[in-house]
Amino acid sequence: MAKNLSTIIIWSENTPGVFFRILWLFRRKMFNIETATVGYTEIPNVTRFTITVSGNGDQVANMCKQVAKLVNVLRVEKVADEKLISRELALAKIQIKGKGEKGEILKIIEHFRAKVLHMTKDTFLVEVTGGEEKIDAFYENMKEYRIIEFVRTGRTALFK
Amino acid sequence: MEQKTKLKTRLKEGEKVQGADIVCECLLRHGVRTIFGYPGGANIPIYDALYKYPELHHILVRHEQGAAHAAEGYAWANGIPGICFATSGPGATNLVTGLADAMLDSVPLVCITGQVPSPLLGTDAFQETDVLGVTLAVTKHNYLVTKAEDIAPSLYEAFYLASHGRPGPVLVDITKDAQTAYAEFHIPLPKKHLEGRVRLQATPKEVEKIVSMLNSAVRPLIIAGHGMLLSGDGKTLLQIAEKQDIPVTLTQLGLSTIPSTHRLFMGMPGMHGNVAANRAPNEADVILAVGMRFHDRVTGNVAKYAQQAKIIHIDIDPSELGKNVKPTLGVVGDAKMVLEQILPKLSKRRNPQWLKRFHQWKREETEKVYKKELHAPHLKSAQVIAEISRQTKNKATIVADVGQNQMYAARYYTFNDYNTHITSGGLGTMGFALPAGMGVKSADSNREVWIVIGDGGIQMTIQELATIVQEKLEVKIALLNNNFLGMVRQWQELFYKGNYSEVKLKNPNFQKLCDGFGIPSLKAKTFKETREAISKARKKRGPFLVEFVVEAEENVFPMIPAGAGIADMIVSPKDK
Ligand SMILES: Cc1ncc(C[n+]2csc(CCOP(=O)(O)OP(=O)(O)O)c2C)c(N)n1
């Protein structure tokens, strides 16, 4: 994942098209979104977006002001990493070749406190959560074996 | 904006009617008197309802782009949103240029388009276009309404958004089944989160900071833009300028905020702006920038713009602060309201030395540019505009198109009255002026409206001459004919080795065209004919077109080449 990411948290009305408007605006202002997670929150009818982008401080600050102008957006904040606890979730399907490999892979899973969600004769389907660096490290370790599929959700975050 | 005068509303709270009736009722209740539009299959129910609302005067344009620009002119002249109707598909897509224009120039519009019936949405039905998607980028906000009961809330929000904060165009796309379905009419409750959004006044701390920066300035400069013009009047601005003896420059869209003849008015900055207005930002120590956005046409290369100055930037749109130029102090607020806050706290002062500098610059421009333009032996556009200014006693409303003609209008008309200069600044839409001028006249019949337009631009929306005739709109049209796409030709002459690529126009016979439309016209080739033609045009009631045959290859100077710094201004051809 790209380094020096800024986290932008957006609260919006849960109306059709809101997602489109927000993502469109980032493109319009020439930002590349690194990750975006969206979901319901503790407030009824309010959707919360956690978006990470790269870009210098002034650009990101202006981007937030642009987003704040969207009519369906209720609040926007660019949040410093220290103020957040953030996590992402990754799923990986790994091929197992023989007994020896199986033990090694299980060790890695244990080390990362990952969970095996599904197992076949020759595959593990694993879930791991954590900060980006942890997920990166997990991926690096698993790369030694054959990764059949790998997905990660991108950052979602709460204020400390 | 609810109309204060007595108004014959049709619907009672809770009355069950068709969606199309609700559309008309909402317009009526928002004080709408004029609509620019074009009917079609998907908005025919709204036109049917319109039949019952004779006080909503509908102007049938000849192309929906004309409707949008006319609505812009209307909004500009009246200060309330202009209204457009268009049908689905091609009707709606024809509005797009006008919406984009209104978006960049902060013009309030409410556009109502018909859409295919909701069960057909997404099926590529006849005349279906995803209008919400297409217009997302060119509206302040847009709505897709598929139920009759959602019409009133959407329209109320649309009016609110179009005219509050930084104004802009809002589009409401209404499916045909929502227009014909029955629903109870209710006046919607205001939406809280919309209303709390706009900040109008500065905090006491900000006021104190602005005041102290201005009070201690040695070479202060004011640059005011469209936001200043939009905020009501130029009086507070003038009071501040006079109290502190601060030179004032007005951006193109700020022109006519204060009279051009005022001793502190130092012209317009920008690519073809005035020498003083362009040199001053690089010598000032404090710049008060209000309701303007440091547009690239104003600053030239920003890296070479006002580097030595402390900048106070006041704008109602928070996202403008720091977007193009980083201010020393950025303040969110309404231009006039913030100026009213600082006015009483400013000390009185005089700046004779600093003002002398401006008079030097003005003399330089007079010698190198004005004299040549105004005293040339053959007819020049500058002379035409200056003569219109003289005969109208600086009191006409000038609606300028795009290109050289626009620059001549801005430079050579002397604006005396508030809000009398209208043009397409941000988008630079050729063909804007003819329909926009029509909109201005229909908003305010007391204005003397002069449309200034080139031979290229007029052919982009020339069909609206028919609307002008049908509506008996008394607009005067100054067609500056150089038989070229003049502004592009100028660039080709100056920066592309004189390769005139696709800029020569073989034009129609404009007199015969006018005859066909039923508009009287004259052709002027000399200054004497110009004087007489303008006088005749003004005396004759109804619309009138004068074709001025101006020098084919004249250039607008000064000029800051695109991308260059303001110091690289070419004042006259010899400087190049
Ligand atoms: C719709 C549109 N197309 C193209 C342009 C690019 N353009 C800017 S000025 C200009 C020339 C305008 O020619 P004319 O209307 O004859 O006016 P003049 O410059 O000669 O006064 C052109 C083509 C534009 N601004 N708008």
Side-chain angles (χ1 to χ4, degrees):
Chain A
M1 273 180 72
K3 294 290 165 219
N4 295 327
L5 294 183
S6 303
T7 305
I8 299 174
I9 301 183
I10 301 166
W11 291 260
S12 80
E13 295 176 311
N14 177 23
T15 46
V18 138
F19 206 164
F20 175 51
R21 286 176 199 276
I22 291 173
L23 296 190
W24 166 82
L25 189 55
F26 276 88
R27 188 211 59 80
R28 159 92 176 83
K29 297 289 170 185
M30 307 306 284
F31 272 86
N32 187 18
I33 291 181
E34 298 290 339
T35 69
T37 60
V38 196
Y40 292 118
T41 63
E42 74 285 2
I43 316 162
N45 296 318
V46 171
T47 302
R48 177 162 162 166
F49 295 72
T50 308
I51 291 178
T52 61
V53 291
S54 49
N56 75 37
D58 284 348
Q59 287 167 339
V60 175
N62 188 263
M63 188 65 229
C64 291
K65 291 189 200 165
Q66 300 288 347
V67 174
K69 289 206 290 185
L70 291 175
V71 170
N72 303 118
V73 166
L74 305 169
R75 193 171 133 207
V76 187
E77 264 187 60
K78 173 186 180 301
V79 194
D81 284 354
E82 315 82 81
K83 291 195 179 150
L84 289 173
I85 297 285
S86 57
R87 284 290 175 271
E88 61 172 323
L89 179 143
L91 297 176
K93 195 196 281 179
I94 320 276
Q95 193 169 53
I96 318 161
K97 289 192 199 129
K99 284 250 165 60
E101 250 191 35
K102 194 170 184 174
E104 286 173 30
I105 293 172
L106 277 171
K107 258 196 198 132
I108 298 172
I109 289 172
E110 198 176 323
H111 176 82
F112 283 95
R113 302 216 186 103
K115 259 197 285 190
V116 176
L117 299 180
H118 186 69
M119 206 168 107
T120 67
K121 193 160 64 23
D122 47 15
T123 62
F124 278 137
L125 203 158
V126 188
E127 170 197 306
V128 58
T129 56
E132 277 113 26
E133 278 167 25
K134 178 177 164 189
I135 310 280
D136 289 347
F138 174 79
Y139 183 81
E140 285 304 312
N141 277 278
M142 282 302 177
K143 245 174 42 185
E144 301 291 311
Y145 311 94
R146 191 170 124 64
I147 300 175
I148 301 169
E149 263 187 280
F150 182 83
V151 283
R152 55 200 290 179
T153 59
R155 184 184 294 184
T156 189
L158 284 182
F159 292 87
K160 277 184 194 165
Chain B
M1 175 186 322
E2 293 278 335
Q3 191 74 355
K4 280 164 213 90
T5 49
K6 261 182 281 154
L7 130 167
K8 223 179 104 219
T9 55
R10 304 281 192 288
L11 305 182
K12 286 194 261 328
E13 180 70 19
E15 192 174 337
K16 212 159 184 191
V17 288
Q18 284 187 309
D21 295 312
I22 297 178
V23 171
C24 293
E25 182 75 13
C26 288
L27 294 182
L28 189 73
R29 286 175 185 246
H30 276 93
V32 172
R33 291 295 170 270
T34 307
I35 298 161
F36 302 90
Y38 213 90
N43 65 355
I44 212 168
I46 296 176
Y47 275 89
D48 192 48
L50 195 60
Y51 219 69
K52 294 175 248 171
Y53 285 81
E55 52 283 67
L56 298 176
H57 176 57
H58 182 274
I59 293 181
L60 179 63
V61 294
R62 295 300 186 268
H63 185 293
E64 289 86 351
Q65 183 187 351
H69 293 321
E72 285 187 272
Y74 181 91
W76 207 309
N78 252 359
I80 59 172
I83 314 296
C84 301
F85 282 177
T87 191
S88 68
T93 56
N94 275 348
L95 287 178
V96 170
T97 304
L99 291 169
D101 195 272
M103 186 70 181
L104 275 181
D105 284 350
S106 312
V107 184
L109 298 184
V110 173
C111 295
I112 298 169
T113 48
Q115 182 54 281
V116 302
S118 57
L120 294 182
L121 280 173
T123 66
D124 301 324
F126 178 64
Q127 293 193 329
E128 183 191 2
T129 300
D130 173 24
V131 173
L132 200 81
V134 168
T135 62
L136 179 80
V138 292
T139 51
K140 189 172 167 186
H141 194 56
N142 56 14
Y143 298 84
L144 170 61
V145 178
T146 56
K147 292 191 197 96
E149 59 264 35
D150 293 341
I151 289 176
S154 305
L155 282 175
Y156 269 71
E157 273 188 48
F159 273 93
Y160 183 86
L161 289 170
S163 52
H164 283 72
R166 181 178 181 169
V170 181
L171 181 138
V172 184
D173 194 28
I174 308 177
T175 58
K176 194 172 180 181
D177 52 330
Q179 297 167 36
T180 52
Y182 282 80
E184 285 178 9
F185 171 73
H186 292 290
I187 297 172
L189 295 170
K191 259 193 154 182
K192 266 202 211 99
H193 95 268
L194 287 185
E195 311 220 318
R197 281 173 101 99
V198 185
R199 198 180 96 152
L200 298 171
Q201 287 195 307
T203 62
K205 231 188 182 158
E206 286 169 340
V207 171
E208 210 175 285
K209 260 191 167 164
I210 302 174
V211 169
S212 96
M213 282 170 80
L214 284 176
N215 280 347
S216 59
V218 181
R219 293 180 308 281
L221 171 70
I222 293 175
I223 312 175
H226 196 193
M228 192 69 236
L229 186 77
L230 282 169
S231 73
D233 63 61
K235 288 194 193 104
T236 320
L237 177 71
L238 260 190
Q239 284 171 321
I240 286 180
E242 284 169 354
K243 195 167 183 188
Q244 292 221 320
D245 218 19
I246 309 177
V248 178
T249 65
L250 297 173
T251 67
Q252 190 191 16
L253 293 193
L255 286 177
S256 80
T257 302
I258 66 168
S260 312
T261 45
H262 193 277
R263 71 173 180 92
L264 289 170
F265 179 63
M266 301 303 170
M268 167 183 87
M271 185 172 263
H272 292 290
N274 296 105
V275 172
N278 276 332
R279 295 240 166 100
N282 277 6
E283 292 194 16
D285 64 341
V286 175
I287 296 177
L288 176 64
V290 281
M292 56 83 75
R293 58 191 176 102
F294 293 106
H295 189 258
D296 54 272
R297 283 290 192 264
V298 163
T299 62
N301 182 350
V302 274
K304 295 181 189 164
Y305 182 79
Q307 295 297 313
Q308 78 300 332
K310 288 193 189 118
I311 297 177
I312 306 161
H313 191 183
I314 303 169
D315 202 282
I316 201 159
D317 179 352
S319 71
E320 286 300 341
L321 306 178
K323 187 179 82 178
N324 297 332
V325 164
K326 206 168 180 173
T328 315
L329 174 64
V331 176
V332 179
D334 172 80
K336 186 170 150 72
M337 287 192 189
V338 177
L339 294 191
E340 276 169 352
Q341 287 177 283
I342 62 173
L343 175 62
K345 301 201 164 66
L346 290 175
S347 55
K348 277 201 182 121
R349 49 178 295 175
R350 293 287 148 238
N351 305 309
Q353 284 311 101
W354 176 224
L355 288 175
K356 238 188 219 159
R357 198 87 183 95
F358 285 81
H359 294 125
Q360 282 167 0
W361 288 325
K362 278 192 161 180
R363 259 199 309 277
E364 180 186 351
E365 189 165 353
T366 303
E367 288 302 319
K368 289 186 175 168
V369 187
Y370 283 102
K371 276 192 182 165
K372 275 195 215 156
E373 293 288 319
L374 295 173
H375 302 300
H378 41 274
L379 189 61
K380 298 204 113 201
S381 299
Q383 298 168 357
V384 174
I385 303 295
E387 183 59 18
I388 295 174
S389 199
R390 194 186 67 80
Q391 291 199 26
T392 58
K393 302 199 168 57
N394 308 337
K395 287 184 162 306
T397 296
I398 298 298
V399 186
D401 205 61
V402 169
Q404 293 182 318
N405 60 84
Q406 177 183 35
M407 293 303 135
Y408 289 122
R411 292 179 52 81
Y412 294 95
Y413 197 86
T414 306
F415 298 97
N416 188 68
D417 292 355
Y418 176 74
N419 194 21
T420 50
H421 171 261
I422 295 168
T423 191
S424 166
L427 197 66
T429 311
M430 282 171 69
F432 167 86
L434 193 63
M438 185 170 104
V440 172
K441 189 69 191 180
S442 60
D444 183 355
S445 59
N446 292 324
R447 287 179 188 243
E448 176 174 352
V449 175
W450 275 87
I451 293 165
V452 176
I453 195 162
D455 46 316
I458 198 169
Q459 292 181 69
M460 287 218 167
T461 49
I462 199 158
Q463 71 284 348
E464 301 308 336
L465 288 176
T467 314
I468 287 169
V469 172
Q470 184 163 345
E471 289 293 323
K472 302 191 183 68
L473 290 169
E474 182 162 357
V475 292
K476 311 297 175 186
I477 302 161
L479 169 60
L480 299 178
N481 187 3
N482 52 17
N483 290 300
F484 271 115
L485 297 174
M487 186 57 91
V488 180
R489 188 208 53 74
Q490 174 170 348
W491 283 45
Q492 291 178 342
E493 179 188 332
L494 299 179
F495 310 115
Y496 292 87
K497 303 192 206 92
N499 294 333
Y500 286 176
S501 178
E502 298 303 319
V503 288
K504 184 88 189 117
L505 294 176
K506 166 112 185 66
N507 280 319
N509 180 326
F510 288 110
Q511 265 64 59
K512 282 193 180 161
L513 256 174
C514 283
D515 267 356
F517 279 107
I519 293 182
S521 68
L522 279 173
K523 190 169 184 164
K525 291 183 188 150
T526 62
F527 185 68
K528 186 166 167 283
E529 287 171 7
T530 294
R531 208 167 47 210
E532 289 162 6
I534 294 169
S535 163
K536 279 190 185 142
R538 294 187 70 228
K539 281 194 191 117
K540 180 107 183 139
R541 295 199 60 182
F544 202 101
L545 182 144
V546 186
E547 177 188 354
F548 300 95
V549 182
V550 293
E551 188 186 315
E553 298 185 44
E554 60 176 346
N555 290 329
V556 191
F557 283 110
M559 176 170 196
I560 300 167
I566 49 179
D568 305 317
M569 175 170 47
I570 308 166
V571 179
S572 69
K574 272 186 229 116
D575 295 4
K576 200 181 128 46

